Amino acid sequence: MSEQLELNKARYILRVADTELILGHRLSELCGHGPILEEDIAVANLALDCLGHANFLLELAGRFYSPALSADNLAYERLANQYFNVLLAELPNEDFAHLILKQLYLSIFLQLRYFSWASSSWKELAQISKKALTEVKYHVMHSKEWVLRLGDGTEESNQRMQQAIVNFEPYVADLFVDHAEDCIFKKQFNCALSSELISDWSKQVEDCLSSAKLSFSEPNSNYSYSSITGKHTEYLDYILADMQFLTRRYPGLSW
Amino acid sequence: MSDKKDSQFDLWEVFLQAKSGEAHQHAGSVHAADSQTALMNARDVYSRRGEAVSIWVVPANKIVASSPEQEGPFFDSGNDKVYRHPQFYKVPRGVKNL
């Protein structure tokens, strides 16, 4: 029973850890291909921040397995069906509008999630979350500024942003689905449920998008994909094949 | 459609203040379309490793600089002009903080 609780703790953390890891990977794909040099560097910075958060959270999650696993074990030795990230993180960077809109959605979500964890009674989680919050705050600011300029920019940039909003719509409700672990830790450590984050999230996103002359509708969970089924989009396998290439080709390697 | 050779956004010069109270030092430049983005770009490019507590960005075309021809009249060294330096007064011993 306690072993199950430990695994539940791992899964609970992994939902955010894996999201940061996959998001970081998608951001890193822009390296060398940014629209301008400064943005190339900025997005690389964002990716490093995400990977940093993922590293701390994966280390924490790894301790709940027996034998304990390291962040590297978790990142490089799990297959797609063992990942718990939200589906939105996996979607490809079709264009810059998609990348920055995804950043907006996920960084606001993560900010709310870390904010709730920072005041929970789970000390280590609170510590990691406080550190992550300062960085995520910048991510939110950065993506808001870009969305504003792209939405209220040229006809083409507005169109591309609008298309990204439409393409991501079926994946938004997934962020706010309560998994079994959510309820356990709400009670035990006073962490907000995922579903409790939606109103703040929607308000912030709606404010930003309407200032950017973009139209947004509330996520409808009847028409969305959800990671609660344990299934992922077809993209995750390709992401992992890329990310885990070295460890798969040379098992047990070290620097 | 402008025929500028530089196809990037406007140029901004970046000044960083390493510690509170110190002078801002020139660190380099960034391209940006507006001041808010210039500030963010400068932060991303120049203060990756805690080099700054404060950042100034200035549009490069707002900076007024002395031209090389003015070097003579502006900067002529006064080292050989003894009459320009207050060296003829001896400070009495025991005078502090003068």
Side-chain angles (χ1 to χ4, degrees), chain A residues 61-116:
Chain A
R63 288 194 239 141
F64 299 115
Y65 290 87
S66 56
L69 297 171
S70 69
D72 280 347
N73 292 140
L74 287 171
Y76 295 116
E77 292 165 18
R78 284 183 296 160
L79 297 180
N81 62 349
Q82 296 163 311
Y83 264 74
F84 300 107
N85 55 284
V86 297
L87 300 179
L88 180 61
E90 302 166 7
L91 301 182
N93 304 326
E94 260 191 61
D95 59 19
F96 188 69
H98 283 78
L99 185 141
I100 208 70
L101 187 70
K102 191 203 288 188
Q103 198 55 33
L104 181 76
Y105 283 3
L106 285 178
S107 56
I108 294 178
F109 169 72
L110 288 168
Q111 188 180 38
L112 293 168
R113 172 39 76 208
Y114 286 133
F115 185 73
S116 147

Side-chain angles (χ1 to χ4, degrees), chain A residues 84 128 156 236 248 251:
Chain A
F84 300 107
I128 294 175
E156 184 187 355
L236 186 58
R248 290 185 190 183

